[in-house]
Amino acid sequence: MVIKLYISSESANKTIKKKQQTILDRLTTRGVPFDVIDICSDVEAKKFMQEKCALKTGKTPLPPQVFSDEEYCGDFEKFEEYQEDNNLDVFFKLAPETITSKAEICVTTEEEEIEKSDKEKIVVTNGVDAEAEKTDEEKEVNVEKAETPEKAKVVEEDHEKEDAEEPAEKIEETSEEAADTKEEPVPTESA
């Protein structure tokens, strides 16, 4: 497998010359065998380079362009990307591309877990801390029963139902007590 570097020896553009020299230096330093193909002196090579690059990139290519035998590797910008990642062997098709998965591991202490679960227990409704409006007793009930926001909502609804049922029961008790204490009507004497 031979690397082919397509360059322009007659380019007046200093940026192109600098890019070509950078790739040449990197190939030489790494000891990678390569051929330099001057598109100014070889019209067929220029045509080949333009056709292959245009198929891959969709734009008219400027030198330097890099190929591994007949396979297109990329232009200078692509070369720089791989160089920054320290993956030039992959760019030059000398090594297979490695696929890395991004996984995240978070190690927490038991204290951090407790702190995190405590934060999850605080219920915020419409931007107001619902816990701040409740009595200490109600807060304790919510902390014990509410492990998630969904459960906290259910616990809160249960408290509302209990509160709504209490007055009805008290009214019934009051009515029964009144009925028990009512005195029977005293017959009136009629003359």
Side-chain angles (χ1 to χ4, degrees):
M1 185 175 283
V2 176
I3 304 301
K4 295 180 182 178
L5 179 61
Y6 288 78
I7 65 166
S8 174
S9 61
E10 297 178 18
S11 176
N13 187 326
K14 288 184 179 182
T15 305
I16 288 177
K17 285 186 175 186
K18 186 176 178 181
K19 290 176 180 180
Q20 292 174 166
Q21 192 59 49
T22 300
I23 295 176
L24 281 169
D25 291 346
R26 204 59 72 231
L27 287 166
T28 305
T29 303
R30 295 176 73 81
V32 177
F34 65 95
D35 292 335
V36 176
I37 301 166
D38 186 3
I39 60 171
C40 292
S41 61
D42 189 346
V43 178
E44 287 299 314
K46 180 179 181 178
K47 190 175 178 178
F48 170 82
M49 180 196 80
Q50 288 176 335
E51 287 175 2
K52 290 283 189 174
C53 294
L55 285 173
K56 290 282 187 178
T57 63
K59 54 186 176 182
T60 305
L62 293 174
Q65 297 292 328
V66 182
F67 286 80
S68 177
D69 289 328
E70 306 270 321
E71 187 178 358
Y72 181 64
C73 297
D75 59 4
F76 185 77
E77 285 72 28
K78 193 81 163 175
F79 168 81
E80 278 186 320
E81 286 177 31
Y82 279 86
Q83 182 173 332
E84 286 176 19
D85 292 339
N86 203 17
N87 269 338
L88 282 179
D89 286 341
V90 174
F91 173 77
F92 292 126
K93 311 286 188 216
L94 300 172
E97 190 163 358
T98 56
I99 299 172
T100 57
S101 66
K102 294 181 181 180
E104 197 173 289
I105 298 174
C106 182
V107 179
T108 57
T109 65
E110 188 175 327
E111 293 164 353
E112 290 172 328
E113 284 294 318
I114 292 169
E115 185 178 312
K116 182 181 175 185
S117 67
D118 287 346
K119 287 180 182 177
E120 290 174 355
K121 290 177 185 175
I122 295 175
V123 180
V124 176
T125 310
N126 296 333
V128 177
D129 186 355
E131 290 293 314
E133 297 175 3
K134 295 185 178 180
T135 65
D136 289 338
E137 190 175 300
E138 288 175 317
K139 286 180 187 178
E140 287 175 22
V141 170
N142 276 348
V143 169
E144 291 172 8
K145 293 183 180 177
E147 295 170 4
T148 65
E150 293 82 16
K151 288 184 180 179
K153 188 173 183 181
V154 170
V155 169
E156 189 175 302
E157 288 173 359
D158 288 345
H159 281 297
E160 289 173 4
K161 286 180 186 175
E162 288 172 9
D163 293 344
E165 290 171 1
E166 272 183 35
E169 289 172 4
K170 285 183 180 178
I171 290 170
E172 288 175 16
E173 286 175 12
T174 308
S175 301
E176 289 173 9
E177 287 173 5
D180 290 341
T181 58
K182 271 189 185 177
E183 295 180 17
E184 292 189 25
V186 178
T188 57
E189 292 180 24
S190 47

